[in-house]
Amino acid sequence: MNSRLLLEYCVYPVTLLFVASMLVGCGQASGDRNESPRPNIVFILADDLGYSDIGAYGSEIETPNLDRLADNGIRFTQMHNTSKCFPSRAVLLTGQYAQRVGMSESPGDFEQAVMFGEVLSGADYTTIFVGKHHSTDNPYEWGFDHYWGLRDGAANYFNPGEQRPGDPGPPAQKQGFYPRIFAFDDSLAEPYTPPEDYYGTDSWTDWALELLGRYEEDPRPFMLYLSYQAPHDPLQAPREDIEKYEGVYDVGYEAIARARYERQRRMGLLDERYPRSKPTHRPWSDLDDSTKADQLRRMQVYAAMIDRLDQNIGRLLDYLEERGELDNTLLMFASDNGASSEVVQIGEGPIGSMTRWASLKEDWANVANTPFRFYKNYSHEGGTATPFIVHWPEVISEGGQIDHSLLHFIDIMPTLVEVSGADYPDEYRGESMHPMEGVSLLPLLKGDSIEREQPLYYEWNSGRAIQTGKWKLVRWEDDWELYDRQTDRTETTNLAEQHPDVVDRLASQWQEWAGEIGVEE
């Protein structure tokens, strides 16, 4: 462990872009790696990132590293998550719907599950997990050779622990959820009080690079799951990144959202099947000066957090490129759910600082999720649709592609299994394992198509949905809504009254799935 990390881990006794990176055996010395037939895997996940929040999906926010991956890879327009942090992460780790592994209601212990750390370890991979987990289990005990990160949910970016001598005041913490637990392999820090130069997005990248560096002479390939918290609240970012966005959002909600949608159409990301949904944000002209200033600051800091996230993804790309491994690296980037309309207000001081925990709120979340309706927690597209970029030049024949295939996080485990040559077990820890729910995406990367035999299902909070190639049936609380996915992927025209037979058929399918998987209505 290097001296900087030793300080971060030991000094204070008060103790996921979804990027799947398939390198050519990055666990070997650089001179030998190109001889390895098996790729390494790096999986990067963002947190609460809106559909239009990066440049490759229409944003004004500077994300040159992600944009570069899109220019040389494939952008998928129809990748879906569960609409909520911890169930989405459970699906990624296990290849199962969250309801099947005990992670659909609260972030507790996994049940009847196997994580991809264990699966790939069985194929002689070194497996590393860094960042946010959001469970009460320690991934180190589930097959990962290393887990360094936030075992729990969101934490303060500058100081998730106790106040330090140089802090400007008490770090804003969520009472009732404090202290947040960090894990460093089999050691738990509760709380974790870091050195004063800590910033979560930067430090977690430091940890990932530190662990990768340990295996540069190891002949085994590796798998890195890098699970960031950004841009989930608290809205906190380094001052220099916040200053970059001074004045950018003065034009207000509608001008930013309209410009994003126009870019999405102009770049060919979206077509006529994606009409822009009706905006739900307030008219900017109706806000008083004080409210405008508050709203501008929130979006300015949120943009800075995404900018900083991209900078750190760039650090990882630089590491891979310097070692001559980037071209044979499968990079997948995604978010665990859509932008959040949740309201959190803790502490004092300016938004963006250590002593203040603030959130984005509904108006800017509507902009962030352009062109979709609703937000995190909803089974509508604003909650479940995520940017999804895949980069692998040695396999993807032509960069800059846009693919509209219907995808879900359940497809990630089958993809990792096929690419790595691993076997998904029938039994683990004395329990029988349900077969993987999804399909491998490898054919899409090779220019072929995939066939999905079953619909996609959703259930979180008051949201419910079922998706097929033709239809999406969705509801929040009581009434089902029906949308034609072939013409209206932004859910603007409810066809439930025109097609009651389709509603009944799909609702019956959803109920059958819910009963089989243990969802209580």
Side-chain angles (χ1 to χ4, degrees):
M1 184 176 292
N2 67 23
S3 58
R4 185 176 188 276
L5 188 61
L6 186 64
L7 279 172
E8 293 192 1
Y9 179 37
C10 299
V11 161
Y12 291 89
V14 281
T15 359
L16 96 123
L17 322 158
F18 177 94
V19 175
S21 147
M22 306 201 117
L23 314 173
V24 196
C26 193
Q28 305 176 8
S30 58
D32 298 326
R33 291 182 183 180
N34 289 337
E35 299 173 10
S36 173
R38 295 199 300 161
N40 296 315
I41 300 168
V42 180
F43 192 93
I44 303 178
L45 187 67
D47 194 343
D48 284 13
L49 182 81
Y51 190 83
S52 68
D53 275 338
I54 61 175
Y57 281 71
S59 184
E60 70 294 333
I61 300 171
E62 295 181 19
T63 56
N65 296 293
L66 288 169
D67 299 349
R68 170 190 173 192
L69 297 179
D71 289 343
N72 294 289
I74 304 174
R75 278 173 291 173
F76 292 86
T77 62
Q78 284 284 288
M79 172 56 89
H80 294 83
N81 48 50
T82 72
S83 83
K84 179 66 174 179
C85 303
F86 67 86
S88 290
R89 294 160 190 274
V91 175
L92 283 174
L93 283 165
T94 67
Q96 304 290 337
Y97 285 110
Q99 292 79 6
R100 199 177 297 281
V101 296
M103 290 291 290
S104 63
E105 296 182 6
S106 61
D109 292 345
F110 281 74
E111 303 170 359
Q112 201 168 349
V114 59
M115 296 183 185
F116 57 62
E118 185 71 51
V119 173
L120 270 66
S121 290
D124 201 27
Y125 271 67
T126 296
T127 54
I128 300 169
F129 180 176
V130 172
K132 179 179 172 181
H133 178 43
H134 210 169
S135 163
T136 54
D137 281 314
N138 183 350
Y140 182 68
E141 299 171 351
W142 285 78
F144 286 92
D145 293 308
H146 295 286
Y147 171 59
W148 291 3
L150 173 62
R151 199 198 68 176
D152 293 335
N156 191 299
Y157 284 83
F158 291 110
N159 182 3
E162 297 297 296
Q163 184 174 352
R164 301 162 301 200
D167 288 347
Q173 313 287 8
K174 275 190 172 181
Q175 299 305 314
F177 296 94
Y178 182 80
R180 290 301 202 185
I181 297 175
F182 279 68
F184 297 89
D185 293 342
D186 58 354
S187 297
L188 301 183
E190 186 179 2
Y192 171 58
T193 303
E196 294 187 3
D197 61 349
Y198 176 92
Y199 179 70
T201 306
D202 296 347
S203 296
W204 296 3
T205 308
D206 293 342
W207 298 349
L209 295 175
E210 160 74 12
L211 289 170
L212 287 177
R214 293 185 180 186
Y215 292 91
E216 289 177 357
E217 304 300 324
D218 193 313
R220 295 174 298 166
F222 71 77
M223 185 277 171
L224 168 67
Y225 175 29
L226 181 51
S227 177
Y228 288 107
Q229 180 179 300
H232 192 295
D233 60 79
L235 298 179
Q236 294 173 334
R239 181 179 302 174
E240 62 269 24
D241 295 311
I242 298 174
E243 290 174 350
K244 288 174 63 174
Y245 293 91
E246 184 71 38
V248 172
Y249 298 103
D250 291 358
V251 293
Y253 310 122
E254 178 57 24
I256 296 296
R258 184 173 61 250
R260 288 188 176 195
Y261 183 66
E262 289 172 354
R263 281 191 290 269
Q264 291 171 332
R265 293 297 302 268
R266 189 166 57 248
M267 65 176 56
L269 181 72
L270 305 182
D271 55 28
E272 64 279 357
R273 293 173 293 181
Y274 298 82
R276 185 185 168 201
S277 61
K278 184 178 179 180
T280 58
H281 56 71
R282 294 170 289 179
W284 190 251
S285 59
D286 287 358
L287 307 184
D288 59 33
D289 290 345
S290 176
T291 303
K292 284 182 179 179
D294 174 83
Q295 289 290 297
L296 289 171
R297 180 67 178 186
R298 290 175 191 274
M299 188 61 200
Q300 189 179 346
V301 177
Y302 180 76
M305 296 171 73
I306 296 168
D307 187 308
R308 193 73 168 206
L309 172 67
D310 185 81
Q311 293 175 45
N312 277 277
I313 291 172
R315 294 175 59 201
L316 178 59
L317 300 184
D318 288 346
Y319 173 85
L320 301 177
E321 193 162 36
E322 288 167 4
R323 304 196 66 81
E325 297 162 342
L326 187 59
D327 282 352
N328 194 36
T329 298
L330 168 64
L331 299 126
M332 300 182 194
F333 171 83
S335 177
D336 62 352
N337 45 250
S340 176
S341 64
E342 296 170 352
V343 178
V344 185
Q345 177 54 51
I346 300 169
E348 299 178 351
I351 294 173
S353 67
M354 179 191 303
T355 59
R356 177 81 175 270
W357 189 311
S359 58
L360 188 62
K361 292 189 174 181
E362 182 175 338
D363 296 301
W364 283 121
N366 178 231
V367 175
N369 291 329
T370 300
F372 299 119
R373 301 166 58 209
F374 296 120
Y375 334 89
K376 173 184 178 179
N377 294 311
Y378 286 78
S379 295
H380 294 75
E381 294 293 286
T384 65
T386 172
F388 185 53
I389 299 172
V390 180
H391 178 274
W392 194 5
E394 289 199 8
V395 171
I396 298 171
S397 60
E398 181 181 356
Q401 296 180 55
I402 296 171
D403 190 291
H404 299 287
S405 301
L406 179 61
L407 310 178
H408 191 281
F409 276 10
I410 58 172
D411 300 328
I412 300 307
M413 177 71 89
T415 304
L416 300 182
V417 166
E418 182 173 10
V419 170
S420 67
D423 294 319
Y424 188 84
D426 296 324
E427 184 177 295
Y428 181 62
R429 293 185 172 181
E431 295 182 309
S432 61
M433 294 293 103
H434 189 273
M436 292 180 289
E437 306 268 15
V439 298
S440 172
L441 306 182
L442 186 57
L444 294 177
L445 309 185
K446 294 181 175 180
D448 298 324
S449 60
I450 58 174
E451 293 186 8
R452 191 181 301 279
E453 296 181 359
Q454 298 295 324
L456 297 177
Y457 296 98
Y458 303 82
E459 182 269 333
W460 162 251
N461 201 337
S462 296
R464 309 283 189 273
I466 177 174
Q467 261 179 325
T468 69
K470 168 68 174 175
W471 299 105
K472 180 172 180 181
L473 187 72
V474 60
R475 81 178 199 230
W476 177 259
E477 296 182 343
D478 298 325
D479 298 327
W480 286 109
E481 303 166 12
L482 180 69
Y483 299 98
D484 185 344
R485 295 191 63 258
Q486 294 182 352
T487 61
D488 182 19
R489 294 186 176 178
T490 50
E491 304 166 342
T492 62
T493 305
N494 182 4
L495 301 176
E497 291 186 1
Q498 291 92 316
H499 299 280
D501 55 330
V502 177
V503 172
D504 290 344
R505 174 171 56 84
L506 292 178
S508 178
Q509 282 184 267
W510 187 91
Q511 291 288 353
E512 182 178 353
W513 170 80
E516 186 272 329
I517 209 167
V519 173
E520 296 183 4
E521 279 287 86

